Amino acid sequence: MSTAEETIQSVLETLKHDPSYQNQLCHVEHIPAREAQHRDVLPPLSQGLCETLSRYGVNQLYRHQAETISHARAKKNVVTVTGTASGKTLAYLLPILETLEQDSGATALLLYPTKALTQDQLKAMGRLLAHHPSLSQSVLAGSYDGDTSGSARRKIRDEANLLLTNPDMLHRGILPYHAKWHRLFKNLRYVVIDEVHSYRGIFGSNVGQVLRRLQRIQQHYAPSAKPVFLASSATIQNPKQHAEALVGAPFELVDQDGAPRGPKTFCFWNPPYLDRAQMERKSGNVEAKDILVQLMQRGIASIVFTKARVVAELIYRYARGTLLELPGLTNTNLSERLTPYRGGYLPSDRREIERRLFSGELLGVISTNALELGIDIGSLDASITVGFPGTIASLWQQAGRAGRTHTAALTLFIAYNDPIDQYLVRHPQYFFEQTPESAVIDTENPYILASHLSCAAFELPLRSQESELFGETYPELIALMKDVEDVVEVDGKTFWSSPEFPAQSVSLRTISDNTYSIVDVDEKNKVIGTVDAISALELVYPEAIYLHRGETFFVQELDLDKKLARVQKIEADYYTQPVLDASIKENNLKEQQASGTETVRLIDATVTWATTMLKKLQFGSMDSIGYKNLDLPPQHLETVALAWTPSPKAVSEVFPLGVKVSDALSGVRNLAITIFPLLAMCDRADVGGIVNASNTGKPTLYLYDRFPGGLGFSERAYENFTDLLQACLKLVSTCPCEAGCPSCVGLATLRPPIHQDPDALGGYPIPDKHAATVLLRGALRGPVKSEEFSSFASRNGSP
Amino acid sequence: MISEDPQRKSKLAVLDALRNRRKTFRKQTSLFKKENSPRRTEKTPSPIHATELPGREEKNALGTFLRWEQPLRLDFNWLKDLNQKRNELWPQEQNALEALPQIRASDLLFFDLETCGFAGTPLFLVGCLVVHAGEGRLVQFLARHYGEEAAVVLAASDLMGRHGLWISFNGRSYDSPFFADRCRLFGLEPPQPLGHLDLLHASRRRWKHDLPNCRLGTLERFILGLKRPPDTPGSQVPAHYHEFVKKGEVSNILSILRHNAQDLKSLALLMGALPLHKQKQLSQRMNSRG
């Protein structure tokens, strides 16, 4: 047994023998070590590259790296799916550098989902390139995004061989100005798409269109060339199919991870009950803190993943407090080797934390999922995930952050007192046997496609033969664009014909681009952090306690016009939580249809949410010490929704069960949201569901598109309503669980509590499985199209 | 999903969404504060509306376009002065002329583009003013629709490439890079002058402290003493051109052609009015302050 393994075992033993231990450790899964699999590339890499690699500390390539290089040399697109720190960057960089050795004018475009990851990868490339005898002089790598200065932009545009950017910048800042980038497109040999799994749902469907536009522009400048796409992905169910859908071209799959991996101990940890009645459990946040402190005291480098920014701050504050109270000077120093990390910190602060993590200066970090993506923070020995992050893939990805090549690693999942978390710790095999979720995109979504065809027409006139790139609805969409006079056709080509700049009004993501600044009034209004416009009203509302790097700031004022939150540092012994109120208003009936006894409607709806109150909670105990009403403007989403008020007949079947109809309907909502991605080709997070009776006086289920104006998801569910109910019924009646689980009536990705402490929230109860089943059966009794349904189900498989 | 006929409603929904999204977006941003010309629904006519336009159709390797050439009586006596006193010019201007030891009238090319707006949009008119056999000639290349832009760029590029000294107003940062982008788009190597004098910069150096601003209209009024009737405001030019292509609104395009010609004339006059002597200019400034 290696020392690291001993350390990890002894940590577990210590935790178990602590006098306060109450059987929290409810499952231990041992994941065995994996040997390295090396492979040579044939023909071998050049002398220069071999020297570079050996100076960089790499003497042999892993199997997946060699396979990726071989495919790239054969000009085949390839998606590489391997673990964190398995050398994916090297796998896609080596073929590019090999090409650059032969052609110093060649270019490559590298896309990353976030600016932080771009910066990280740029640094990594710099470190590798520095060792190359000639490329270190001749190759320019540069990032181009919102943070790039004006003078640097020009140089990068005119000279860079490796251009690192994000899809949003490509969409708005590069493709519309392609003539300025003619050199890049003329010489484009490779397109790298890192973290390809993050391009899913609405965002992914948009990125798919941006990549099609990219291919048009590249073809315009170099009609005889075809760049090779190199993608990398975390583990998802469908990497090859996903990459192919995204780019619209065939891909090779490399998924045999050749990097060695030490053994991993994966533990499920359930905080103990606080009372005999077994109602309340100890705080998951405090349990996470206790374990983190134990790990740090033994010198084990650890990361804690939290579901909300506020939780990262809370655990940091608790842990710092505990470390400072421990006897001995080393423990005081330990508190300085711990930091929180989350979105909303200034970019410079984030870069500094990343640097300190990478160098090993820091021993512990408490992060939101901001560190889930591939930013290289060096190797850590232990990871703790507090609360189920929402997807199987995400929990594996977080667990992957712990583990070095040869030593043992520890991963802990700590459950909140939330039905989903509690289900997982009661049924640990459920997690280990589930395949990670699929990434779903729809590159034929007419709403998204129409937006991007406008952008494409602006960039270069559209030709009739471009159906191959944009799908079979292309001619019809062009006709629609002519109807609104955005384009005109001249000599068989369709030209953009409006003074507007279409890319400006097309956003790739659902989140807002608007940002609020958080300024410290005692420090001459220095900006200490930022927050997006939607979150501002939930994080820095007046009289909130804003937690920033463990310190408490009192929000004096939220200035909606200037997009400023004025805060002042104070010593508070409490934190605040927003109390949100969400509602849906039916506006306009678009259509309705009957299916047997049931009537379903397609409506224009306004989803409204607002922070109505703040709740003050004592640090640690979470005791509520007061409320305050707030008068903040509500936020609205004007969208399209499906509305279903179950008929009296269907409802009458639920009555004898003694379960509220709204509870049964909530179960159906959760099932429907699980089915949605299959039916509407979107991500679970792209749709929302509400059950209430405020519009109709009767319990009504609403499913809506989380996108202004709608993107056709609810419309599709409306058109296939009977199929939807059938699929829900099949899913719930074939689920082997007893009384409901996250795979059936349990897990709805309702609006994630981005700024709420799940510990204080308690989660949503799992609705009654039987009642949902009875309601579905009641609604479907009538004209049932079972053959059609079974073909739908077999096409899409069961989720 | 919208290929089947019963789903015509989906198509209409997409159409609605296209319209609505633009509407909401207009509300959100100041860029589109002004509603552009009202949208009409009648069938788009054929895009070439040549009959009522002056000039004549020409053809080159990249297609057809309209060329309108007019003689222009202009005084070029300042050229002699420029050649003699170039050492007294501001250093930036001396640098711009460095590659032209002796400037001949045939080297001169004043130019001004009319475009559909910011970078990435098409250009549709290149106006050039050159000296031929001692006489001024105004040459305008017009794309009667978007498809003719390539031929316009090629024709203008030929003319521009044959002249060593370009003179423009804000052309160093706008017109010249814009034109180069459009050349590259059509696979042409952008022409390069031996020297490029930007009269916006030259005017700022001379009159920054004496005039409210150095816009061309301001210079025309205070330096040249010209009074110009109001014509198409620059911000409306792209919308007018799109309307012309879609509907054949010839009056607007005629107004833009005149506007472009007048700008070029003003540039030539401004060149003549430009004091060459740096010292003299400084003393004038002192006087005007005293």
Side-chain angles (χ1 to χ4, degrees):
Chain A
M1 204 181 263
S2 72
T3 4
E5 218 164 334
E6 279 165 20
T7 316
I8 279 167
Q9 290 309 325
S10 87
V11 171
L12 288 177
E13 288 308 310
T14 315
L15 290 172
K16 279 204 272 188
H17 290 101
D18 193 275
S20 65
Y21 180 73
Q22 296 173 61
N23 295 315
Q24 287 102 320
L25 195 59
C26 46
H27 181 79
V28 180
E29 186 90 6
H30 293 285
I31 300 168
R34 190 179 57 214
E35 295 288 314
Q37 289 184 60
H38 293 289
R39 190 161 293 182
D40 293 327
V41 271
L42 285 172
L45 295 170
S46 70
Q47 184 73 25
L49 278 175
C50 290
E51 274 173 34
T52 307
L53 285 176
S54 80
R55 281 187 217 147
Y56 188 65
V58 172
N59 293 313
Q60 263 183 304
L61 291 178
Y62 298 129
R63 173 178 169 176
H64 61 275
Q65 293 171 327
E67 286 176 357
T68 303
I69 295 167
S70 302
H71 287 309
R73 281 176 169 177
K75 307 242 177 297
K76 286 180 179 162
N77 303 327
V78 52
V79 53
T80 308
V81 188
T82 51
T84 321
S86 58
K88 274 186 280 199
T89 310
L90 210 52
Y92 64 66
L93 214 47
L94 285 172
I96 299 177
L97 296 183
E98 199 170 50
T99 301
L100 277 167
E101 282 185 327
Q102 288 148 19
D103 173 7
S104 61
T107 60
L109 178 68
L110 301 96
L111 295 173
Y112 301 92
T114 64
K115 285 195 265 185
L117 191 55
T118 310
Q119 289 310 314
D120 180 67
Q121 291 294 301
L122 184 60
K123 266 183 270 164
M125 277 169 216
R127 283 194 294 268
L128 179 69
L129 271 173
H131 293 298
H132 195 284
S134 61
L135 293 183
S136 56
Q137 303 302 313
S138 61
V139 168
L140 178 69
S143 67
Y144 191 82
D145 56 35
D147 296 341
T148 312
S149 71
S151 56
R153 285 183 175 215
R154 207 196 169 93
K155 185 173 168 66
I156 288 161
R157 211 175 62 201
D158 295 344
E159 295 170 32
N161 303 92
L162 304 179
L163 180 77
L164 290 76
T165 188
N166 54 61
D168 313 78
M169 196 64 181
L170 182 61
H171 157 60
R172 278 190 186 153
I174 296 177
L175 292 178
Y177 310 112
H178 52 84
K180 296 195 184 300
W181 297 88
H182 64 103
R183 185 191 56 86
L184 173 80
F185 293 116
K186 203 173 276 172
N187 301 296
L188 190 63
R189 304 286 293 275
Y190 294 98
V191 179
V192 170
I193 312 174
D194 199 16
E195 309 277 0
V196 75
H197 63 281
S198 58
Y199 303 125
R200 62 208 299 161
I202 294 173
F203 182 39
S205 304
N206 274 295
V207 172
Q209 300 304 340
V210 173
L211 292 173
R212 281 159 179 74
R213 283 161 52 201
L214 165 70
Q215 293 173 70
R216 285 179 90 219
I217 302 292
Q218 180 275 328
Q219 283 294 299
H220 175 81
Y221 287 96
S224 56
K226 217 172 170 87
V228 175
F229 284 81
L230 305 172
S232 81
S233 174
T235 306
I236 50 172
Q237 203 185 351
N238 60 339
K240 176 171 145 71
Q241 183 229 345
H242 178 59
E244 290 179 342
L246 196 72
V247 176
F251 268 76
E252 301 294 324
L253 175 67
V254 171
D255 61 355
Q256 294 299 310
D257 192 340
R261 201 75 173 155
K264 170 168 283 180
T265 308
F266 201 136
C267 305
F268 279 29
W269 184 273
N270 200 8
Y273 283 116
L274 287 173
D275 48 354
R276 282 180 161 270
Q278 304 206 330
M279 293 295 286
E280 265 190 86
R281 287 182 183 272
K282 195 181 159 198
S283 156
N285 296 345
V286 173
E287 289 281 277
K289 179 269 291 183
D290 288 343
I291 297 170
L292 174 67
V293 167
Q294 290 264 6
L295 292 168
M296 286 183 69
Q297 280 182 287
R298 287 161 184 269
I300 298 175
S302 307
I303 183 165
V304 179
F305 284 104
T306 66
K307 288 173 75 164
R309 294 176 182 186
V310 61
V311 179
E313 297 286 353
L314 283 173
I315 297 178
Y316 169 67
R317 211 182 142 87
Y318 297 163
R320 188 183 58 183
T322 306
L323 288 170
L324 285 170
E325 277 168 22
L326 290 173
L329 191 62
T330 44
N331 292 320
T332 318
N333 289 342
L334 276 182
S335 75
E336 284 160 19
R337 297 182 67 193
L338 176 68
T339 184
Y341 181 98
R342 60 172 176 84
Y345 287 169
L346 300 179
S348 55
D349 291 348
R350 286 175 68 161
R351 298 299 92 76
E352 173 66 8
I353 296 172
E354 288 156 16
R355 187 195 61 73
R356 291 175 67 206
L357 266 168
F358 185 79
S359 69
E361 216 174 292
L362 289 170
L363 194 58
V365 61
I366 303 153
S367 172
T368 55
N369 62 3
L371 277 181
E372 196 179 296
L373 287 180
I375 293 169
D376 193 354
I377 47 171
S379 298
L380 298 162
D381 299 304
S383 75
I384 302 171
T385 294
V386 205
F388 183 56
T391 63
I392 304 277
S394 200
L395 183 47
W396 278 116
Q397 181 85 346
Q398 295 183 356
R401 276 305 195 174
R404 302 177 193 257
T405 45
H406 298 295
T407 58
L410 174 69
T411 287
L412 269 143
F413 164 64
I414 299 180
Y416 281 123
N417 195 14
D418 157 309
I420 302 298
D421 287 18
Q422 288 303 312
Y423 182 88
L424 287 172
V425 287
R426 278 201 310 276
H427 306 91
Q429 283 317 319
Y430 171 85
F431 170 75
F432 292 102
E433 285 164 8
Q434 284 286 312
T435 37
E437 294 78 3
S438 297
V440 179
I441 61 165
D442 181 8
T443 49
E444 299 231 340
N445 180 310
Y447 296 85
I448 295 175
L449 184 50
S451 302
H452 286 276
L453 284 179
S454 299
C455 301
F458 174 90
E459 286 152 8
L460 284 175
L462 296 162
R463 290 155 193 274
S464 53
Q465 67 269 31
E466 291 186 287
S467 286
E468 205 179 308
L469 197 58
F470 292 114
E472 56 187 49
T473 57
Y474 173 76
E476 302 206 36
L477 288 169
I478 297 289
L480 290 180
M481 289 161 67
K482 283 184 197 155
D483 280 355
V484 286
E485 296 188 10
D486 277 347
V487 294
V488 290
E489 189 179 316
V490 182
D491 303 337
K493 290 190 243 168
T494 304
F495 290 84
W496 183 248
S497 179
S498 155
E500 288 167 36
F501 178 48
Q504 193 62 43
S505 51
V506 177
S507 167
L508 305 187
R509 310 190 194 224
T510 45
I511 54 162
S512 154
D513 298 339
N514 275 331
T515 305
Y516 278 58
S517 298
I518 300 168
V519 301
D520 184 345
V521 292
D522 289 339
E523 297 283 335
K524 296 180 185 159
N525 288 327
K526 188 180 144 210
V527 178
I528 58 169
T530 58
V531 59
D532 68 274
I534 291 174
S535 298
L537 292 153
E538 296 169 32
L539 189 75
V540 285
Y541 43 89
E543 296 189 39
I545 295 296
Y546 167 66
L547 290 165
H548 189 92
R549 305 192 84 163
E551 304 299 327
T552 46
F553 290 84
F554 181 77
V555 179
Q556 291 186 335
E557 188 193 359
L558 178 64
D559 187 331
L560 299 169
D561 294 329
K562 293 194 180 132
K563 297 198 165 67
L564 272 185
R566 297 194 174 82
V567 304
Q568 184 174 34
K569 196 166 172 179
I570 60 163
E571 287 306 320
D573 58 357
Y574 67 96
Y575 63 105
T576 54
Q577 286 283 279
V579 178
L580 296 177
D581 181 41
S583 63
I584 187 163
K585 192 173 142 274
E586 296 191 8
N587 297 330
N588 177 33
L589 177 69
K590 293 166 93 78
E591 245 177 86
Q592 65 177 12
Q593 63 181 25
S595 158
T597 53
E598 304 306 307
T599 302
V600 61
R601 294 172 294 134
L602 188 67
I603 56 169
D604 288 321
T606 308
V607 181
T608 301
W609 65 100
T611 307
T612 54
M613 268 198 285
L614 69 82
K615 200 161 57 168
K616 295 181 182 175
L617 300 174
Q618 200 120 43
F619 282 124
S621 72
M622 292 186 298
D623 287 339
S624 174
I625 54 166
Y627 284 85
K628 188 169 191 318
N629 285 321
L630 293 171
D631 183 24
L632 289 171
Q635 310 205 56
H636 303 287
L637 170 68
E638 304 282 344
T639 185
V640 176
L642 169 158
W644 175 45
T645 310
S647 68
K649 186 192 141 283
V651 164
S652 69
E653 305 205 15
V654 180
F655 286 146
L657 304 176
V659 177
K660 279 198 282 184
V661 177
S662 58
D663 191 40
L665 206 50
S666 298
V668 176
R669 172 199 59 200
N670 295 354
L671 287 162
I673 286 178
T674 312
I675 299 285
F676 236 110
L678 303 179
L679 190 68
M681 303 292 281
C682 62
D683 196 71
R684 269 188 213 167
D686 298 339
V687 288
I690 288 181
V691 171
N692 75 21
S694 60
N695 289 283
T696 58
K698 294 176 194 156
T700 302
L701 164 65
Y702 298 94
L703 296 171
Y704 62 89
D705 296 10
R706 273 188 216 260
F707 196 85
L711 282 176
F713 307 143
S714 316
E715 186 184 314
R716 198 130 173 203
Y718 168 84
E719 280 163 5
N720 300 285
F721 185 63
T722 311
D723 280 353
L724 176 69
L725 292 189
Q726 291 276 13
C728 290
L729 180 59
K730 168 142 190 182
L731 178 62
V732 69
S733 54
T734 55
C735 187
C737 72
E738 257 174 53
C741 74
S743 285
C744 60
V745 288
L747 182 72
T749 313
L750 296 169
R751 190 155 178 274
I754 316 172
H755 301 297
Q756 292 191 330
D757 176 6
D759 218 359
L761 200 68
Y764 302 96
I766 294 186
D768 193 290
K769 182 182 181 185
H770 185 54
T773 315
V774 168
L775 181 62
L776 284 166
R777 285 224 172 91
L780 284 166
R781 209 160 286 151
V784 170
K785 301 184 285 178
S786 56
E787 325 73 52
E788 278 177 38
F789 163 64
S790 52
S791 68
F792 167 76
S794 61
R795 256 200 330 272
N796 294 289
S798 93
Chain B
M1 67 176 275
I2 62 171
S3 53
E4 298 160 41
D5 205 38
Q7 295 186 340
R8 172 71 193 161
K9 55 181 190 259
S10 290
K11 288 184 216 166
L12 294 177
V14 174
L15 198 63
D16 270 359
L18 277 174
R19 288 197 181 111
N20 287 338
R21 200 154 308 145
R22 199 174 309 108
K23 229 185 283 164
T24 10
F25 182 68
R26 272 211 200 95
K27 269 186 241 158
Q28 291 164 353
T29 163
S30 57
L31 265 179
F32 300 118
K33 260 182 195 156
K34 273 178 231 145
E35 275 289 322
N36 289 306
S37 46
R39 294 186 178 279
R40 288 184 232 156
T41 45
E42 74 255 34
K43 192 111 180 74
T44 306
S46 156
I48 293 187
H49 321 285
T51 45
E52 297 164 63
L53 290 172
R56 65 164 199 275
E57 184 176 297
E58 289 199 357
K59 196 171 163 59
N60 61 25
L62 296 181
T64 57
F65 61 98
L66 199 77
R67 178 189 174 110
W68 188 19
E69 190 166 333
Q70 305 168 75
L72 197 72
R73 194 174 290 277
L74 269 179
D75 172 17
F76 290 101
N77 286 334
W78 48 265
L79 188 56
K80 213 185 298 156
D81 268 12
L82 184 63
N83 275 322
Q84 282 168 7
K85 300 188 185 158
R86 57 197 295 160
N87 294 337
E88 295 168 27
L89 286 170
W90 295 58
Q92 296 94 320
E93 291 154 13
Q94 291 190 30
N95 287 344
L97 300 179
E98 208 175 15
L100 289 143
Q102 185 66 29
I103 306 164
R104 293 160 303 162
S106 58
D107 292 326
L108 301 175
L109 175 127
F110 295 86
F111 79 109
D112 184 31
L113 306 183
E114 302 298 334
T115 70
C116 291
F118 42 85
T121 61
L123 63 78
F124 61 89
L125 176 61
V126 183
C128 297
L129 178 53
V130 292
V131 185
H132 188 69
E135 229 187 84
R137 269 193 202 199
L138 184 70
V139 189
Q140 288 173 303
F141 304 93
L142 175 72
R144 291 164 298 178
H145 58 74
Y146 315 108
E148 289 191 333
E149 186 196 0
V152 163
V153 170
L154 175 58
S157 162
D158 276 351
L159 182 66
M160 290 165 76
R162 281 186 269 117
H163 292 82
L165 179 60
W166 293 359
I167 304 173
S168 67
F169 198 78
N170 198 27
R172 287 185 84 99
S173 32
Y174 184 77
D175 303 62
S176 178
F178 198 112
F179 191 76
D181 282 353
R182 300 315 282 179
C183 285
R184 294 211 170 88
L185 171 67
F186 299 118
L188 304 171
E189 195 50 42
Q192 287 287 340
L194 294 168
H196 185 166
L197 268 183
D198 190 325
L199 293 187
L200 171 64
H201 301 186
S203 302
R204 280 201 185 130
R205 282 192 277 271
R206 285 161 179 82
W207 298 304
K208 188 167 69 178
H209 300 281
D210 305 320
L211 294 177
N213 59 54
C214 284
R215 286 194 218 124
L216 189 56
T218 312
L219 296 167
E220 283 173 347
R221 189 169 153 209
F222 291 104
I223 305 295
L224 305 178
L226 286 178
K227 239 188 157 179
R228 199 164 161 180
D231 56 6
T232 318
S235 61
Q236 288 297 302
V237 166
H240 283 320
Y241 181 64
H242 292 304
E243 280 305 294
F244 164 70
V245 176
K246 282 189 275 196
K247 312 275 157 51
E249 297 276 358
V250 174
S251 61
N252 284 330
I253 218 70
L254 288 173
S255 146
I256 294 171
L257 280 166
R258 278 194 301 270
H259 169 99
N260 176 259
Q262 183 55 52
D263 279 0
L264 287 167
K265 283 184 223 166
S266 296
L267 284 197
L269 291 172
L270 193 60
M271 192 63 220
L274 207 64
L276 304 178
H277 203 291
K278 186 179 167 183
Q279 298 317 114
K280 190 171 138 200
Q281 199 45 45
L282 280 172
S283 62
Q284 265 182 10
R285 202 173 90 202
M286 311 263 280
N287 289 341
S288 71
R289 273 188 183 170

